[in-house]
Amino acid sequence: MLSAEEIKAIDAERSHYPTAQAVGIEAMKIVQHHRGWISDESLREIADHLGLSVESLDGAATFYNLIFRRPVGKHVILICDSVSCWIMGYEQLREQLQKELKIGLGETTQDGRFTLLPSCCLGACERAPVMIVDEDLHGDLDSEKIGEILADYE
Amino acid sequence: MNRNSMITPLTQNITPNREPPDLKQYAQAGGYQGLQRAIKTLTPQEVLQEVKESNLRGRGGAGFPTGKKWSFVPMGDDAPRPKYLVANADEMEPGTFKDRLLMEGDPHQLLEGMILASYAIQAEVAYIFLRAEYRLAAQRLKKAIAEAYEMNYLGKNLLGSAFSLELHLHTSAGRYICGEETALLNALEGKRAIPRAKPPYPQVSGLWGQPTVVNNVETLCNVPHIIARGAAWYQNLSRSEDGGTKFYGASGRVKHPGAWELPMGTPIREILEEHAGGMKDGFQLRGLLPGGASTDFLTEEHLDVPMDYDSVQSAGSRLGTGTMIILDDRTCPVGMLCNLEHFFAQESCGWCTPCRDGLPWVEKILLGIEQGQGQPEDLDYLTMHTRLLGPGHTFCAHAPGAMEPLQSALKYFRADFEQHIHHQRCPFK
């Protein structure tokens, strides 16, 4: 069952578009914000609420990078792997993150605290290398900063 | 000719690390004057004519004349309704960060540009298509939109005129192809972001089959200044045929990476040396991508090229987004290509075969060369791909864009590729 809060947010978005299909992506993001990811059950609930087919909604869900169809950790790290960050030392940072978190890209830590995902250019090239943790952009990263930042996300 | 180097309409209200101006502060600084002038004294046709005469060209990368783009929209009482205007804020071109700074720094400027563009084409509804990762921009735009509704700069009969406009913020779920004009329309309709065949062009049949104009954020931010101060004033800001200023940027191993608003046509050397502070100590310039990941490399011999559409094209590249990525002498060009083509391969939408299958092949060949397993014929395979994935062979410009850095790297850095293959290792490691 979608919660009252989820329904309220989805319906508010619904008024911005002439079709229900156009709200599908935003609706998935709303539900993901509350539940962390989009399970098959969540997908069905959203499709039912908007009167869409589950298949067409899943077609959109699997196309976009930021709709998670598998569980993720409490905090999601998006590390920028595009060209400016690569020049400025992305590979060393990625290795350090993987070592400290003991996971590979696309994986979640044993304690469920972090998921590490690579991301296309995050549009902060003047502060490369960068990463986003949850809602926060962290730039001009170096090995010292990484440890400090991770400690901030319990 | 530096007479206008201090006039920076796009960034005059932007102070780094400070809250952007709210509606009141924006208006006090001269904001919404263009809109007041248009709504009270100009017809939509006159607004369009002013933009046409300003020689404003699209700042998203293609450089299509903005006024001309608007002029294809059906007008008059028989025109299909509703019509739509979309701000393309899906800035995902690697190396590009100008639109983010404009939206975070002065959101009302974008709104005013959108309202003016909507007035010119008589659109009833406008959307900002914003990439999901720009969270601060989303927050600030939401606040600005609410203020604009509250003060009747948006909504029914805005500023007491007969013109009404609804404006909504749409945040994407992340895919590079969404920045392609027609793929963006599919994304906004809630579908997979796959490009559409053209014609029909969006101006005739776009969102939900209705007339639609899609403009880049920086393009729209220019419009209020053109309408407030006139086309001649705007044209005069430039050092080239194209009107206005340009928000240039530089990233990589330069002393001061960042973005600067300068007269359109400012030479590369001036941007690099005077604004980016030159190369970091211990690094030499080897090349640069002048306008994001999907532009051809230029080298030291091109430093005096003016950064405008035609000059950069004559030099064998594209102005693109005008945000440069600098390649230094201690970074491996083959490694850089691996990174670029990995991005393009991963972000191919999969709709057409040459792009979907060709780009991963290119990526694999490059990776082989970089990891010391390159064969001499690999360079022929790469060259073949630059032809087979070039313009006219694919459904949209994604793969041709991916081939631009590759074909120019094969030209300028061929010796690096050959060394990798000859020594069976990367000489930079």
Side-chain angles (χ1 to χ4, degrees):
Chain A
M1 281 282 288
L2 294 177
S3 70
E5 206 179 343
E6 286 166 340
I7 288 171
K8 193 178 155 203
I10 293 169
D11 290 351
E13 283 294 321
R14 176 67 187 87
S15 66
H16 296 176
Y17 303 93
T19 68
Q21 187 178 21
V23 192
I25 294 165
E26 192 56 39
M28 288 191 283
K29 283 165 64 186
I30 289 165
V31 171
Q32 181 167 288
H33 181 75
H34 287 273
R35 307 179 189 188
W37 65 296
I38 300 294
S39 64
D40 289 358
E41 194 187 345
S42 300
L43 197 70
R44 259 196 311 277
E45 288 167 3
I46 299 165
D48 287 350
H49 182 72
L50 292 172
L52 304 172
S53 80
V54 174
E55 292 73 18
S56 83
L57 199 58
D58 201 20
T62 53
F63 185 88
Y64 294 97
N65 298 329
L66 295 170
I67 306 279
F68 305 141
R69 289 286 277 114
R70 282 192 308 188
V72 292
K74 190 174 165 193
H75 305 289
V76 175
I77 301 173
L78 298 174
I79 179 167
C80 176
D81 67 1
S82 284
V83 63
S84 302
C85 287
W86 178 82
I87 290 173
M88 300 306 284
Y90 150 78
E91 282 176 341
Q92 294 87 316
L93 287 177
R94 185 199 60 207
E95 281 162 23
Q96 188 192 340
L97 275 169
Q98 289 179 325
K99 214 159 96 185
E100 289 197 21
L101 299 172
K102 299 185 186 64
I103 50 172
L105 290 177
E107 294 176 354
T108 301
T109 52
Q110 281 270 294
D111 59 2
R113 199 167 131 209
F114 289 109
T115 296
L116 179 62
L117 298 174
S119 168
C120 295
C121 183
L122 292 171
C125 321
E126 82 281 23
R127 299 168 60 194
V130 302
M131 67 182 186
I132 286 179
V133 186
D134 299 341
E135 302 283 309
D136 317 315
L137 180 77
H138 300 279
D140 297 310
L141 295 173
D142 55 34
S143 56
E144 207 172 310
K145 267 193 190 171
I146 293 259
E148 287 168 19
I149 291 165
L150 291 181
D152 284 343
Y153 294 90
E154 271 314 313
Chain B
M1 213 171 65
N2 228 346
R3 66 185 191 285
N4 288 316
S5 59
M6 295 313 291
I7 301 181
T8 52
L10 295 179
T11 53
Q12 64 196 13
N13 296 334
I14 300 180
T15 319
N17 308 319
R18 276 252 309 272
E19 284 289 316
D22 62 16
L23 193 146
K24 205 168 135 197
Q25 293 161 326
Y26 177 73
Q28 272 166 351
Y32 286 120
Q33 278 180 7
L35 181 64
Q36 299 273 12
R37 178 179 171 225
I39 293 281
K40 288 174 181 151
T41 67
L42 301 175
T43 64
Q45 199 53 43
E46 285 169 325
V47 172
L48 189 145
Q49 195 53 36
E50 199 77 51
V51 171
K52 252 190 188 166
E53 284 170 17
S54 73
N55 275 352
L56 170 65
R57 291 175 67 173
R59 301 291 195 248
F64 194 80
T66 307
K68 193 171 169 186
K69 192 183 227 180
W70 295 0
S71 69
F72 297 129
V73 174
M75 298 296 284
D77 295 344
D78 303 338
R81 305 233 162 242
K83 295 190 235 175
Y84 295 101
L85 176 101
V86 183
N88 186 344
D90 193 68
E91 182 170 65
M92 277 182 86
E93 177 83 12
T96 304
F97 51 97
K98 62 183 180 77
D99 295 340
R100 177 178 58 82
L101 297 175
L102 289 169
M103 291 184 286
E104 287 177 1
D106 200 2
H108 277 286
Q109 178 175 244
L110 172 62
L111 297 190
E112 188 182 3
M114 290 177 73
I115 301 164
L116 282 163
S118 301
Y119 178 71
I121 63 166
Q122 290 289 290
E124 286 90 341
V125 185
Y127 293 101
I128 300 173
F129 188 97
L130 180 71
R131 68 176 293 193
E133 296 90 341
Y134 281 8
R135 283 144 194 180
L136 184 62
Q139 210 178 307
R140 291 177 174 182
L141 284 164
K142 264 187 202 148
K143 182 171 171 266
I145 293 167
E147 288 172 348
Y149 268 109
E150 201 178 333
M151 300 302 292
N152 191 223
Y153 285 87
L154 285 172
K156 288 219 169 2
N157 302 107
L158 56 92
L159 303 180
S161 71
F163 179 63
S164 301
L165 180 70
E166 292 297 319
L167 189 148
H168 306 295
L169 175 67
H170 173 99
T171 56
S172 166
R175 234 9 233 279
Y176 174 65
I177 198 65
C178 292
E180 200 274 346
E181 181 175 66
T182 61
L184 181 149
L185 300 176
N186 278 333
L188 202 42
E189 292 181 15
K191 300 168 182 159
R192 293 168 81 93
I194 289 157
R196 296 177 179 177
K198 291 188 280 199
Y201 287 89
Q203 295 95 314
V204 178
S205 174
L207 270 179
W208 299 289
Q210 299 298 112
T212 306
V213 161
V214 182
N215 281 137
N216 161 270
V217 167
E218 188 188 351
T219 309
L220 289 161
C221 287
N222 280 282
V223 175
H225 306 287
I226 293 168
I227 302 304
R229 313 284 294 271
W233 169 86
Y234 180 81
Q235 179 67 47
N236 246 337
L237 297 176
S238 164
R239 294 198 207 170
S240 77
E241 285 301 297
D242 311 321
T245 56
K246 174 77 190 81
F247 204 16
Y248 296 110
S251 65
R253 296 203 185 277
V254 289
K255 280 199 181 110
H256 309 298
W260 313 274
E261 185 185 1
L262 301 167
M264 175 64 90
T266 301
I268 297 172
R269 188 188 303 277
E270 199 175 309
I271 298 169
L272 277 186
E273 289 173 7
E274 288 180 30
H275 301 281
M279 298 300 290
K280 272 191 181 3
D281 294 337
F283 293 92
Q284 301 277 323
L285 176 84
R286 265 205 89 189
L288 60 103
L289 298 169
S294 61
T295 56
D296 283 86
F297 277 96
L298 296 176
T299 64
E300 207 156 5
E301 65 181 278
H302 303 107
L303 285 182
D304 294 316
V305 170
M307 280 282 275
D308 63 58
Y309 298 96
D310 296 344
S311 307
V312 179
Q313 193 161 6
S314 305
S317 186
R318 288 188 309 117
L319 177 64
T321 60
T323 40
M324 305 182 221
I325 304 156
I326 309 301
L327 168 66
D328 60 82
D329 62 332
R330 287 158 62 180
T331 296
C332 173
V334 179
M336 181 167 169
L337 255 292
C338 279
N339 175 278
L340 289 165
E341 299 306 333
H342 167 73
F343 162 80
F344 286 113
Q346 179 183 274
E347 287 302 312
S348 171
C349 81
W351 183 237
C352 76
T353 309
C355 179
R356 185 185 60 239
D357 288 356
L359 289 174
W361 192 2
V362 165
E363 186 195 354
K364 260 195 194 121
I365 296 171
L366 285 164
L367 208 56
I369 297 173
E370 176 66 4
Q371 292 174 340
Q373 298 132 16
Q375 300 299 317
E377 62 267 29
D378 285 349
L379 300 188
D380 299 331
Y381 282 123
L382 290 174
T383 306
M384 178 184 87
H385 277 92
T386 62
R387 276 201 313 276
L388 295 178
L389 301 188
H393 294 275
T394 56
F395 199 77
C396 83
H398 180 80
M403 291 303 101
E404 290 183 26
L406 177 61
Q407 68 197 13
S408 47
L410 286 168
K411 182 164 116 188
Y412 294 122
F413 311 123
R414 199 168 189 90
D416 291 271
F417 285 88
E418 286 166 348
Q419 276 180 345
H420 278 73
I421 294 168
H422 181 77
H423 297 295
Q424 292 288 287
R425 66 180 185 84
C426 171
F428 288 81
K429 282 183 180 141

